[in-house]
Amino acid sequence: MNTKAILGFMLASLIALVAVSSVMAGTLNVNLNSVEVNDVVLGSGTTLAGTVSETVPIVVKFTALEDLQDLKLTAWIDGYKSAISTSTSRFNTVNASDYIKRLSLTLPSVN
């Protein structure tokens, strides 16, 4: 019985802070303080592995460097045969404020 399989993914294709306002322009002005996946603080090029069907907690900490409206935080795994992603609801930020956003991403089962 094959109940475990490993799915690897890279930080570069995991977290994105996306502005979904009606006019998207320029660079999003935030400072990404940390990203934690399964209680592991990620760094550039970090590779993680998870078990199939596992729900992975993701914690993103950032500081807004300006007032922003209508933002959405999205986490995804790139390169799998079907889309694996999750997003927060839309939110606003206030300049110089710290934020913590929590998401959960369910890894696919092997079929």
Side-chain angles (χ1 to χ4, degrees):
M1 201 162 88
N2 185 8
T3 59
K4 289 191 174 183
I6 301 300
L7 178 66
F9 48 95
M10 301 284 294
L11 169 65
S13 53
L14 182 62
I15 302 296
L17 191 60
V18 180
V20 292
S21 58
S22 58
V23 178
M24 294 178 65
T27 304
L28 194 57
N29 202 4
V30 299
N31 184 26
L32 183 61
N33 300 325
S34 68
V35 177
E36 297 175 25
V37 177
N38 254 356
D39 297 322
V40 175
V41 177
L42 301 182
S44 179
T46 301
T47 301
L48 296 175
T51 305
V52 296
S53 302
E54 177 182 12
T55 300
V56 179
I58 301 168
V59 179
V60 180
K61 298 176 183 177
F62 65 96
T63 303
L65 302 177
E66 66 180 312
D67 294 347
L68 299 166
Q69 290 77 41
D70 207 25
L71 301 179
K72 184 185 286 190
L73 182 70
T74 300
W76 74 90
I77 297 173
D78 194 24
Y80 190 69
K81 61 185 174 185
S82 60
I84 305 168
S85 66
T86 188
S87 297
T88 64
S89 57
R90 294 176 188 218
F91 61 93
N92 299 328
T93 64
V94 177
N95 184 32
S97 296
D98 293 323
Y99 294 88
I100 298 174
K101 294 294 180 180
R102 299 176 194 282
L103 304 102
S104 294
L105 192 63
T106 301
L107 302 181
S109 61
V110 176
N111 289 331

